[in-house]
Amino acid sequence: MSQYLSQLSGLSTFLITLACGAHLFFFFVLWVWSRRDLRRIASSLDDFTRGLKHRSLLDSTGHLSDQIEAFLADVNETLDPNANPQDRKILSERVHILDEKRRYLSSHFFETCYNICRTMIEAYPLAGVLGTILAMGAALQLNAASETSSAINAIVSHFGDAIWSTFAGLAAAILLMFLNSILETSFLGLVENRRHVRDTVVRAKRELTFANGGEAAP
C-alpha cells in the first residue's frame, strides 16, 4: 500500500500539469469554435443585408461581435413599418439565408462545454491539496512499514512531492483563471449575439411574411 501511495504522490504534480495542458487546449478549441461561429453568423447577416440603402459600413478589422450588432441594427431598422419598401422587399427575397444558417445559432452545447471548462478551474487547488495529502500519507505508511520510532524522516523525504503538488495546483488555477478572464467576454458575447440573432430572425420572418400577405418568401 505504501508503495502505491508513494508512486501516486510522485505522479501528482505531473498529472496536474498534464491536466492543465489539456485544459489550455480545451480553451483553445473553444476560442477557435467561437471565432468560427462568429464569422459564419456575420457572413450570413452580411449576405442578408447586402444592398440595403442605409446599410452600416464598418471597418473590416472591427470585432465580429460589433459587425453582427450593426447588421442586426440594419435589419431592425428595415423591418420598421416606415422603412424603405424596396429594402423590405430585398430582405423578403433573402429570408431563406437565415434558415440556411440557423444551425449556427444553437448555443446549448457551446455553453455547456464552456461552463465545464470554467468550473473545473476550481478543481486544481483541490488537486494540489490532494497530492499533498497523498505525499503525507505515503510518508506515514512508509514509517509504519519500516517500524521506525519517528515519522519525521519519512515525512521530510516526501515533503518535496507535497510542496510541488500544491504549487502545481495553485499555479494551474491562477494561469487558467487569467486566461478565462481574457476569453470570457468573447465567449459570453457570442452567446449574446446568438440570442439577438435568434430574436431578429423570428421578427424578420414574421413581419416579412405578414408583409407579403401571409405567403412565405421563396
Side-chain angles (χ1 to χ4, degrees):
M1 182 65 177
S2 61
Q3 180 180 0
Y4 293 129
L5 283 176
S6 296
Q7 292 176 350
L8 190 56
S9 65
L11 288 173
S12 60
T13 301
F14 172 75
L15 293 176
I16 291 173
T17 304
L18 186 64
C20 180
H23 213 138
L24 289 171
F25 178 74
F26 195 18
F27 264 122
F28 175 74
V29 170
L30 288 175
W31 178 77
V32 172
W33 185 354
S34 67
R35 294 289 297 178
R36 181 200 64 183
D37 283 2
L38 277 174
R39 282 194 296 269
R40 287 176 173 175
I41 293 172
S43 176
S44 65
L45 290 174
D46 182 32
D47 294 338
F48 186 55
T49 59
R50 185 175 291 118
L52 296 182
K53 184 177 180 180
H54 299 291
R55 185 168 182 263
S56 298
L57 297 177
L58 296 178
D59 191 343
S60 59
T61 60
H63 197 278
L64 290 172
S65 291
D66 294 335
Q67 295 181 29
I68 290 172
E69 291 298 330
F71 290 143
L72 292 177
D74 293 339
V75 174
N76 287 320
E77 182 179 349
T78 304
L79 294 177
D80 189 275
N82 298 322
N84 185 348
Q86 185 62 31
D87 285 345
R88 291 172 65 89
K89 182 179 179 182
I90 291 174
L91 292 189
S92 179
E93 293 172 349
R94 296 177 180 172
V95 74
H96 67 279
I97 293 176
L98 299 180
D99 286 328
E100 293 174 355
K101 302 295 184 179
R102 285 181 71 87
R103 63 184 180 275
Y104 302 123
L105 300 181
S106 177
S107 61
H108 179 72
F109 187 53
F110 178 86
E111 291 181 49
T112 300
C113 291
Y114 174 54
N115 187 56
I116 293 173
C117 196
R118 177 180 55 191
T119 303
M120 290 305 296
I121 295 176
E122 301 173 6
Y124 285 93
L126 299 178
V129 172
L130 180 60
T132 300
I133 294 174
L134 287 174
M136 295 301 181
L140 294 175
Q141 287 288 333
L142 182 62
N143 173 67
S146 60
E147 298 182 354
T148 58
S149 59
S150 175
I152 299 299
N153 292 334
I155 291 177
V156 170
S157 67
H158 288 80
F159 190 70
D161 290 339
I163 292 297
W164 282 113
S165 176
T166 303
F167 172 79
L170 293 175
I174 292 172
L175 173 63
L176 291 170
M177 287 175 65
F178 176 73
L179 181 61
N180 179 66
S181 68
I182 296 175
L183 298 176
E184 184 176 25
T185 301
S186 177
F187 292 165
L188 296 182
L190 171 60
V191 174
E192 190 71 10
N193 287 147
R194 280 173 167 155
R195 185 178 67 81
H196 289 166
V197 172
R198 283 196 295 267
D199 293 342
T200 303
V201 167
V202 171
R203 183 188 175 200
K205 295 189 69 176
R206 181 181 67 245
E207 297 196 13
L208 293 175
T209 299
F210 179 77
N212 287 330
E215 298 180 0

